[in-house]
Amino acid sequence: MTDVRGGAVWSPAVWRKTWGDQRVLVLALAALWGAFPWIYLWLSAQIAMPAFQNVLLQVIPEDWQKLSGVPFSEVATYAGRVALAFVDPVVVLAATVFGITRGSDAVSGQLERGTMEMVLSAPIRRTAVFLTQAAATIVAAAALSGVLLASVWTAVAFGPWAGKVEPWRFVPAAANVFGLMVCMAGIAACVSAADSHRWRTIGIMCGFYVTAILAKLVGRLSGTLGWVGYLSVLNAYEPQQLVGGGAAAWRLLVWYDCILLGLGLAAYLVGAVIFARRDLPAPL
Amino acid sequence: MIVSTEALTKRYGEFSALDGCSLEVRAGEIFGLLGPNGAGKTTLLRLLLGYLTPTSGRATVAGYDCATQSLEVRGSTAYLPGEARLFRRMDGRAVIAFFAGLRRECRRDVAVQVAYRLGLDCTRQVARMSTGMRQKLALAVVLATDVPLVILDEPTANLDPTARSTVLDLAREARAEGRTVIFSSHVLSEVEETCDRVTILRAGRVVHGQSIEDLRRGHRIHARLADAFPGVPAALAGRLTATAGADGRIVLETEEPLGPLFGWLATLPLAEVRVEPVGLQAVYDRFHSPAARSA
């Protein structure tokens, strides 16, 4: 009587349902990230390069350089100014919100809504439900990173700074955004797998994110507490360091994305184990 | 036996949601599960489906262990949760298509037919459905799943009288097809009307099990005598219980044929007499009336 489809760790029905669930979020972020680089570059171009360099290199105290993660001399270039788009809240927060939203829905969201009950009454492994959703989220993150890259590429190639900077050098930065999305989604899914209330999962993840920001800032600004920075997952999100071009940028990307993707995928695997073993309470 | 549990127990710390539950469900019957809220009915069903891990004891469905072979158990089972919640963004057809895609035992055409019998408009989005309509949609999915065991947890809650009647018919039809139905409900009349056997739970324990056929044999006679009650004659002793009250009132209960009893009753100085079937309500009240709970 056992459905052979249930023995697999993949469910086409859950795959389709997950895409339906995340469709609005993905389309909204695609629209945002499709438009943002154009707007950002247009706004940036309103400040001429000599004026920007003057402010950055002569007005802002040199100590503040610690916060940027790269020397101000590198920021005060066309590539550096485009790179700032990748650390703008529109990109960083949207990537984080995507990860937390999708990850938190994986288990606790569906338990809270009560929709997990009937799905799991079918002969389908819990790991299949969890990992199929994870795959859909990761593919969506890759697609959104692609949209961001395409938009940055076209804005650089055809926008106000056309010809002043090579568009392809932003590929590692976009890949770093992808790493951040997968990392946040994986950790959120892991928390969700152990939880029964989505609001609590989101709360835990917000706390985690704020702690990561604070740890990164403390690590950057404090000489004696520099080690604290290594405790922050956001220490591996440095897209502004990845726009220099050449092999060095790719080597750095591999290092950063190994951390982010490694953490995200490991969290997904741990979450799958937790979900497979836990009790599923009746929805409230 | 398609379902069997042996001393099945689920504890949360000091609290026992289910305590040493042993019962058997025969293939091809409609098995009623009764008990108030918190009696352990849903916990039992969730243990059967592998949603919960038992603290101790064992349960099997279709020969598969519920704790270690949950996938096989769910391959043999269709389950309607107590409060079925479905995907709000989908319409009824999409929900049916989803479950038909999730498991091949769920027959899409049959689900549409069941939904039609229940009077459900499948083109409506779930978010715009009433609680009863969502219940009907979930029932259509569950009853269209071709598996040997159908578990219905309060299937008629939130339904209108016509749909309730159709659900009971569908449960009987499932039995006629050779399937087994576990029917958990608070509506005693429905259980009495539909089930072959019932089990009553109280505070996580099985306190009573009985076939409906036996139940229907049981009668209660309320009488008022013009004179003193002479007691039950030796010939009928053990075949009935008699409780004498004030004002010459007596209550007699029996599960035996009434013929011999009537002969004896005719010899008594009867001022009033009323005969009624014992019914499930009376049995249920033995365990769940306020007096029984405080005992």
Side-chain angles (χ1 to χ4, degrees):
Chain A
M1 276 298 166
T2 303
D3 188 332
V4 289
R5 281 177 288 185
V9 290
W10 175 261
S11 167
V14 173
W15 170 263
R16 287 190 294 272
K17 181 185 119 15
T18 307
W19 276 102
D21 290 345
Q22 65 184 10
R23 183 183 54 195
V24 173
L25 178 66
V26 169
L27 289 177
L29 284 183
L32 178 68
W33 284 1
F36 173 69
W38 281 91
I39 298 167
Y40 186 87
L41 258 65
W42 182 82
L43 288 172
S44 296
Q46 303 309 304
I47 302 169
M49 184 58 90
F52 183 81
Q53 287 172 330
N54 184 44
V55 169
L56 197 64
L57 300 175
Q58 292 174 25
V59 178
I60 298 177
E62 201 172 333
D63 275 359
W64 290 30
Q65 201 164 261
K66 291 175 184 172
L67 286 171
S68 75
V70 289
F72 279 167
S73 57
E74 286 182 25
V75 180
T77 61
Y78 287 108
R81 292 181 70 180
V82 175
L84 289 179
F86 289 92
V87 291
D88 190 278
V90 170
V91 172
V92 181
L93 285 182
T96 304
V97 164
F98 172 84
I100 293 176
T101 304
R102 293 309 311 147
S104 64
D105 193 50
V107 176
S108 61
Q110 296 180 62
L111 284 178
E112 194 171 71
R113 289 197 299 277
T115 53
M116 189 65 91
E117 295 256 287
M118 282 191 62
V119 172
L120 288 182
S121 70
I124 180 171
R125 290 184 194 282
R126 292 186 195 180
T127 46
V129 174
F130 191 82
L131 295 178
T132 301
Q133 293 175 159
T137 299
I138 291 170
V139 170
L144 285 170
S145 303
V147 167
L148 181 63
L149 175 64
S151 182
V152 169
W153 195 96
T154 52
V156 168
F158 306 112
W161 292 339
K164 292 192 166 114
V165 61
E166 167 55 47
W168 289 111
R169 66 165 59 191
F170 299 102
V171 173
N176 203 208
V177 174
F178 169 66
L180 177 67
M181 294 167 90
V182 172
C183 181
M184 297 307 287
I187 295 170
C190 184
V191 176
S192 177
D195 205 349
S196 300
H197 300 285
R198 192 181 193 186
W199 58 265
R200 190 165 57 195
T201 304
I202 290 173
I204 290 169
M205 285 308 298
C206 288
F208 171 80
Y209 184 67
V210 170
T211 306
I213 290 175
L214 291 176
K216 184 172 179 173
L217 287 175
V218 169
R220 284 253 169 98
L221 295 175
S222 166
T224 53
L225 294 174
W227 57 272
V228 173
Y230 292 107
L231 300 178
S232 172
V233 70
L234 294 178
N235 230 26
Y237 181 71
E238 300 284 5
Q240 74 280 19
Q241 294 180 7
L242 304 174
V243 297
W250 285 101
R251 273 198 298 275
L252 205 52
L253 170 69
V254 168
W255 175 239
Y256 285 158
D257 269 17
C258 273
I259 293 172
L260 292 174
L261 293 174
L263 272 173
L265 296 176
Y268 266 125
L269 289 176
V270 172
V273 172
I274 291 170
F275 181 45
R277 295 185 175 180
R278 67 170 287 189
D279 277 354
L280 298 179
L284 297 173
Chain B
M1 297 298 165
I2 190 163
V3 177
S4 173
T5 70
E6 297 165 25
L8 194 61
T9 300
K10 181 64 183 178
R11 286 202 186 91
Y12 297 99
E14 294 296 304
F15 171 70
S16 288
L18 198 67
D19 191 3
C21 173
S22 297
L23 56 82
E24 291 185 328
V25 181
R26 298 175 194 135
E29 73 175 352
I30 303 181
F31 181 85
L33 206 52
L34 291 173
N37 296 326
K41 304 186 300 294
T42 300
T43 300
L44 170 62
L45 300 181
R46 297 179 82 80
L47 283 162
L48 293 180
L49 288 158
Y51 291 176
L52 304 175
T53 307
T55 306
S56 62
R58 184 168 183 263
T60 60
V61 169
Y64 299 114
D65 187 284
C66 295
T68 59
Q69 295 175 292
S70 170
L71 203 62
E72 289 80 1
V73 167
R74 285 179 283 134
S76 310
T77 309
Y79 172 56
L80 177 81
E83 196 180 325
R85 298 184 201 172
L86 298 164
F87 320 112
R88 294 175 61 83
R89 66 174 177 79
M90 294 186 188
D91 64 21
R93 292 170 303 189
V95 169
I96 290 171
F98 170 75
F99 284 102
L102 195 63
R103 62 187 307 177
R104 69 159 59 101
E105 303 93 343
C106 181
R107 298 160 296 177
R108 198 168 173 167
D109 53 336
V110 178
V112 172
Q113 286 169 20
V114 173
Y116 179 76
R117 281 182 67 181
L118 290 167
L120 178 69
D121 173 14
C122 285
T123 61
R124 191 179 291 204
Q125 196 181 5
V126 171
R128 297 177 193 282
M129 288 182 178
S130 66
T131 311
M133 292 167 86
R134 287 198 284 267
Q135 181 85 351
K136 288 177 183 178
L137 181 57
L139 274 162
V141 168
V142 170
L143 291 169
T145 305
D146 187 17
V147 284
L149 176 63
V150 179
I151 298 175
L152 305 175
D153 193 357
E154 298 181 33
T156 58
N158 309 309
L159 296 185
D160 54 78
T162 311
R164 279 172 184 251
S165 172
T166 307
V167 170
L168 301 186
D169 287 342
L170 287 164
R172 290 190 201 98
E173 287 169 26
R175 176 179 58 190
E177 291 166 7
R179 296 152 76 188
T180 309
V181 179
I182 295 181
F183 193 100
S184 168
S185 177
H186 293 295
V187 186
L188 300 182
S189 58
E190 286 176 356
V191 172
E192 193 168 347
E193 189 185 330
T194 315
C195 294
D196 300 304
R197 285 195 306 134
V198 289
T199 280
I200 299 176
L201 292 172
R202 182 174 67 182
R205 289 176 165 271
V206 173
V207 290
H208 185 72
Q210 187 172 24
S211 77
I212 295 294
E213 198 180 329
D214 287 346
L215 183 75
R216 288 195 180 119
R217 276 205 295 267
H219 286 86
R220 180 181 287 162
I221 300 164
H222 299 266
R224 188 166 65 82
L225 305 182
D227 208 344
F229 178 50
V232 178
L236 293 173
R239 296 169 68 178
L240 62 86
T241 57
T243 311
D247 303 331
R249 294 185 185 279
I250 58 167
V251 178
L252 307 169
E253 271 191 38
T254 181
E255 291 184 0
E256 300 289 321
L258 291 175
L261 202 60
F262 284 151
W264 167 63
L265 276 175
T267 65
L268 296 178
L270 291 172
E272 288 173 19
V273 68
R274 178 163 53 90
V275 182
E276 64 181 20
V278 170
L280 196 51
Q281 181 72 55
V283 175
Y284 186 85
D285 285 346
R286 279 183 211 156
F287 305 99
H288 291 297
S289 65
R293 281 201 299 270
S294 60

